[in-house]
Amino acid sequence: MCGASTVLFTFIFDRGVSWELANTMLKEKQKAEFGSSGDGFYKSNSEFMGKRHVILAFESSASAMYKIVRPTTGESPRDMHLAELTKKYSKVSSLEAAQISWEHEYEVSSKQNGKSCSVGSRLQEVNVLGGVVLPLWGKIQTVLSKQVRLIHRRLHIVCVETTSDNRRIVGLLVPNAAVTAVLEGLSTPSVGLTQVTSSAGLSTPSVGLTQVIELDD
């Protein structure tokens, strides 16, 4: 392979939104005069895992629909109707109280490990196999076909953009549950496999797996 190698890149994707960023988002919305009386910070009426959680909500382009931002996972892909918002959450009148709750959730979530389970986790481990991949396609397919979950058997091509050093890496997304199996399957003398771990990785909610193309098995 003319000295070329296959590289397993491991990134830590931080989906969290700091208090400073959340407050700036709200201020910019209000400054643009597109805000509504429902915009602001809210706290859940019911407890989840023994805690009431804080969110930022502001009206979207659709009538009575609100975008939801959480300190742990950033902006939700699904807008919430005002009726649902007011049923599940109560608006926080004190900005100081909202800040205390937001910063607490943001800080606590930074210590949670999203390697085995990424649902609700602020930090997610993302593994991408880059470099020389096409000659190994069959081996990788064979390894992934033995995974228990159907979603882990499918091949995804992804483009990862990092925020710390503006790198762009294109490769195959390796499910966390399949990393060990893929490494073992490619551990042969004919395959020059290198592992690179980057904790800087993907540091803003808006930058991550910017493109995912699903391929047929």
Side-chain angles (χ1 to χ4, degrees), residues 7-214:
V7 182
L8 178 65
F9 296 94
T10 299
F11 301 97
I12 302 301
F13 180 22
D14 188 347
R15 302 189 294 171
V17 175
S18 66
W19 167 255
E20 290 76 13
L21 179 56
N23 203 24
T24 298
M25 292 170 68
L26 180 60
K27 287 181 178 178
E28 288 181 349
K29 181 76 172 177
Q30 295 169 337
K31 188 187 299 183
E33 298 182 353
F34 294 131
S36 71
S37 59
D39 294 349
F41 293 95
Y42 289 74
K43 214 164 189 182
S44 59
N45 293 325
S46 58
E47 293 186 349
F48 178 70
M49 297 183 69
K51 297 178 182 179
R52 294 177 60 201
H53 296 273
V54 64
I55 63 171
L56 167 63
F58 51 88
E59 193 171 24
S60 67
S61 56
S63 177
M65 298 298 291
Y66 281 74
K67 291 193 175 297
I68 306 299
V69 181
R70 294 181 172 84
T72 54
T73 57
E75 185 175 324
S76 171
R78 183 183 73 88
D79 291 351
M80 186 179 294
H81 193 277
L82 178 60
E84 182 182 358
L85 175 64
T86 54
K87 179 181 179 181
K88 294 181 177 179
Y89 298 86
S90 297
K91 197 170 186 181
V92 180
S93 57
S94 168
L95 196 63
E96 182 180 359
Q99 179 178 358
I100 292 173
S101 297
W102 191 282
E103 289 183 336
H104 175 71
E105 285 193 40
Y106 182 77
E107 179 61 29
V108 169
S109 63
S110 69
K111 299 176 175 62
Q112 296 173 339
N113 182 6
K115 182 174 182 178
S116 56
C117 179
S118 61
V119 178
S121 297
R122 172 182 157 192
L123 302 180
Q124 291 187 319
E125 183 176 296
V126 178
N127 294 281
V128 177
L129 200 62
V132 179
V133 174
L134 286 179
L136 307 175
W137 198 274
K139 288 185 178 181
I140 298 169
Q141 244 182 347
T142 299
V143 172
L144 293 184
S145 68
K146 298 176 183 178
Q147 291 299 302
V148 176
R149 298 185 62 187
L150 181 61
I151 192 173
H152 291 162
R153 301 175 194 171
R154 308 179 75 176
L155 292 173
H156 300 304
I157 294 178
V158 298
C159 176
V160 177
E161 294 182 355
T162 64
T163 55
S164 57
D165 51 9
N166 297 317
R167 282 188 297 167
R168 177 175 291 183
I169 296 167
V170 177
L172 285 177
L173 179 66
V174 180
N176 293 341
V179 170
T180 300
V182 168
L183 289 176
E184 291 176 351
L186 299 181
S187 295
T188 62
S190 60
V191 179
L193 181 61
T194 304
Q195 289 181 258
V196 177
T197 301
S198 173
S199 58
L202 317 170
S203 59
T204 71
S206 60
V207 179
L209 301 181
T210 57
Q211 183 179 3
V212 177
I213 303 173
E214 293 191 10

